[in-house]
Amino acid sequence: MNLLFSIVAVLSLGLMTQAPPPAAQAPPQRRPRPASTHIVVRDKSGTPLEGVHAIISGPARREATTDADGGVVLSGLRDGTYRLRFEHEGFLTLERELVVRTGVPRDIDVALSAAAPPPAPPPPPEPAPRPAPPRPAPASAPSSATGSPVTVSIPAYLDKNFIGGKDPLKESVIGCTAGATTKLLQIREPVAQHTHADLDETLYVVAGEGAVRIRDEATAVGAGSLSVIPRGLPHSIERRGRNPLIAISTLAGAPCQAAATTQASK
């Protein structure tokens, strides 16, 4: 009986000390491959934009340019938050955020707004006004700067010194004293308004028709008309009719400025 008990005990101990069979190992899990992100850039009308410069910054930095279909593919980006920047000439720069999660493909549409056109260039400066044509130099005429008496035949003088067909005005000094200058005026075009600050003018019409305007009042003149214009008054002279207006103008109040000339008889 004791022998049987001993055999049973040994068998039980052997069963208890036997190692359990090894458990089966699970196969290693594959990480999902990063999915690509496809971006299409268009304008506001929906037309794809080629040549858009895309800059990606964040856990990784990339730069790419859109193709003819306005598309660009971003692949191999690690998980994280990225900043996208889109630049194209003639359009406003656009920035937006992109969150990348492994295994999640994304399609992104981007619309760029056209930039405002550049301001028009300023208009070119207006050309400077042309300077007024110089007044014709007084024609040489018999006179005397020292106050010698002078007698002039106006018809004979005009025969030799009549105004040219294209000249607007011809002035000829015919008398010169220490306190006045006498000129023969031949007028085709209007003499613009002017003022003699320190001179009184006496105007005697020899031939032709015209008008003398003092300030804003015009007075018709003809052969035999006499006008006295005190110093400081703005005035102008114009011809009316086909022939030149011929008048004798005496400016009194200052010495004659013309160079001394021979007398009319010479």
Side-chain angles (χ1 to χ4, degrees):
M1 187 67 175
N2 292 334
L3 180 58
L4 179 60
F5 180 78
S6 299
I7 294 172
V8 172
V10 170
L11 292 175
S12 300
L13 182 60
L15 291 174
M16 294 176 60
T17 58
Q18 186 175 1
Q25 295 183 355
Q29 295 183 354
R30 292 184 178 180
R31 294 184 178 180
R33 298 178 61 186
S36 299
T37 298
H38 182 235
I39 301 175
V40 177
V41 184
R42 299 181 172 89
D43 60 16
K44 288 297 184 179
S45 66
T47 303
L49 292 176
E50 181 181 4
V52 178
H53 187 204
I55 304 173
I56 302 94
S57 58
R61 180 177 175 85
R62 303 279 180 81
E63 294 189 18
T65 302
T66 57
D67 56 20
D69 297 324
V72 63
V73 177
L74 305 178
S75 58
L77 296 178
R78 303 194 303 270
D79 287 2
T81 301
Y82 293 82
R83 194 70 181 172
L84 304 182
R85 182 181 177 91
F86 301 94
E87 301 175 347
H88 194 282
E89 183 178 359
F91 291 83
L92 298 177
T93 299
L94 176 66
E95 292 189 2
R96 62 178 298 177
E97 188 176 89
L98 171 65
V99 178
V100 175
R101 294 179 180 174
T102 303
V104 181
R106 297 193 61 183
D107 291 332
I108 299 176
D109 289 328
V110 176
L112 298 186
S113 299
E126 295 184 1
R130 293 183 178 179
R135 296 174 66 90
S140 175
S143 180
S144 174
T146 61
S148 300
V150 174
T151 300
V152 179
S153 170
I154 298 301
Y157 183 78
L158 288 174
D159 285 342
K160 297 180 180 179
N161 298 278
F162 195 71
I163 185 172
K166 296 183 178 180
D167 294 336
L169 170 69
K170 185 172 184 179
E171 296 182 353
S172 304
V173 176
I174 58 175
C176 208
T177 67
T181 303
T182 300
K183 299 179 181 180
L184 180 65
L185 305 181
Q186 301 180 66
I187 301 170
R188 287 188 184 275
E189 301 295 334
V191 178
Q193 188 178 75
H194 59 284
T195 303
H196 304 294
D198 302 318
L199 299 173
D200 301 315
E201 183 172 12
T202 300
L203 193 68
Y204 178 77
V205 177
V206 176
E209 297 178 351
V212 175
R213 183 180 298 273
I214 301 176
R215 292 195 177 97
D216 295 327
E217 182 178 352
T219 302
V221 295
S225 297
L226 178 68
S227 300
V228 178
I229 306 170
R231 66 189 65 189
L233 286 180
H235 59 283
S236 60
I237 310 169
E238 63 184 48
R239 179 199 71 172
R240 293 178 180 176
R242 299 178 57 184
N243 298 320
L245 178 66
I246 300 175
I248 297 175
S249 169
T250 300
L251 296 173
C256 182
Q257 300 298 319
T261 56
T262 58
Q263 296 184 5
S265 60
K266 297 182 182 179

